[in-house]
Amino acid sequence: MNAFDPRPQFLHALDQLETLLSGLDPALLGRPTPCEAYDLRALLSHTVGAVHRISYIGEGGRGMDVPAAAGQIADTDWAGALGRARARAAAAWADDDKLDREFEVPWGVAAGRIALSGYVMEIVTHTWDIAQVIAPEAELDEELGHLAFTIAQKVLPAEPRGGEMPFAAVSPVPDDADVHRRLAGWLGRAV
């Protein structure tokens, strides 16, 4: 069987975000992000928490047992917190057999490879959100962007949105938008 293994892309997405966070100015933590529900501090907490959640799932836990929030992190330790979460995720998903095992994730029951693919989409999307505050000029990995956009289009239909679906309506993007902006628009960000 030659099924997709999302672990390398998941870890690469975390590495990209950790690099972005290494130069974080704590004065930016209260700023709004394109993910309207969160300022930067709250989005960082959500993102690091999501990495711990998928780690917990890989360790055998149920996705809704833990929040997608990191708790208290020192203003100067976001890159370190993400690095620790990455190490936990790498260990939790090291066993190849977990890719085809079913796990309870926040959206239902899914094979490990599907669960991790959803988290690739989440990390890549939130990396773009975070970059818009920290370093809008940052060049994000195009291949990761294409993968995340492909996943988003497969798992999140354009309609219906709202209600139980935690994504706003697809937002229009300029014709020359890069893949990260197209992904953000697909997930309901104003771009």
Side-chain angles (χ1 to χ4, degrees):
M1 182 169 157
N2 190 11
F4 175 65
D5 180 352
R7 293 175 297 182
Q9 290 83 358
F10 177 69
L11 295 175
H12 180 56
L14 293 174
D15 292 340
Q16 175 177 251
L17 179 55
E18 188 175 356
T19 298
L20 183 65
L21 294 180
S22 67
L24 174 62
D25 177 355
L28 300 174
L29 290 170
R31 295 233 176 124
T33 69
C35 190
E36 292 181 6
Y38 300 106
D39 67 8
L40 183 57
R41 178 181 278 110
L43 183 57
L44 290 171
S45 176
H46 168 73
T47 304
V48 172
V51 178
H52 281 294
R53 178 183 268 175
I54 191 61
S55 300
Y56 179 75
I57 291 167
E59 294 162 351
R62 296 171 358 135
M64 293 306 287
D65 288 349
V66 294
Q72 294 296 320
I73 303 293
D75 288 353
T76 58
D77 191 34
W78 286 104
L82 183 66
R84 293 185 294 277
R86 183 205 186 281
R88 180 181 179 191
W93 289 96
D95 183 351
D96 291 346
D97 292 338
K98 290 184 179 181
L99 294 176
D100 294 312
R101 193 177 313 158
E102 290 197 336
F103 294 90
E104 190 172 326
V105 294
W107 61 88
V109 175
R113 72 181 71 250
I114 303 300
L116 278 171
S117 293
Y119 280 84
V120 169
M121 180 188 76
E122 181 161 358
I123 299 303
V124 171
T125 302
H126 288 319
T127 297
W128 180 83
D129 293 327
I130 292 162
Q132 299 316 294
V133 179
I134 294 177
E137 73 289 347
E139 290 189 30
L140 301 177
D141 187 292
E142 289 283 319
E143 286 184 34
L144 283 174
H146 284 289
L147 175 61
F149 191 39
T150 299
I151 292 166
Q153 290 177 309
K154 285 182 181 178
V155 301
L156 296 170
E159 294 180 356
R161 297 283 180 101
E164 293 290 314
M165 175 68 70
F167 296 93
V170 174
S171 295
V173 296
D175 291 340
D176 63 346
D178 67 19
V179 69
H180 290 91
R181 288 192 188 288
R182 292 195 319 266
L183 171 63
W186 186 262
L187 297 178
R189 299 338 187 234
V191 293

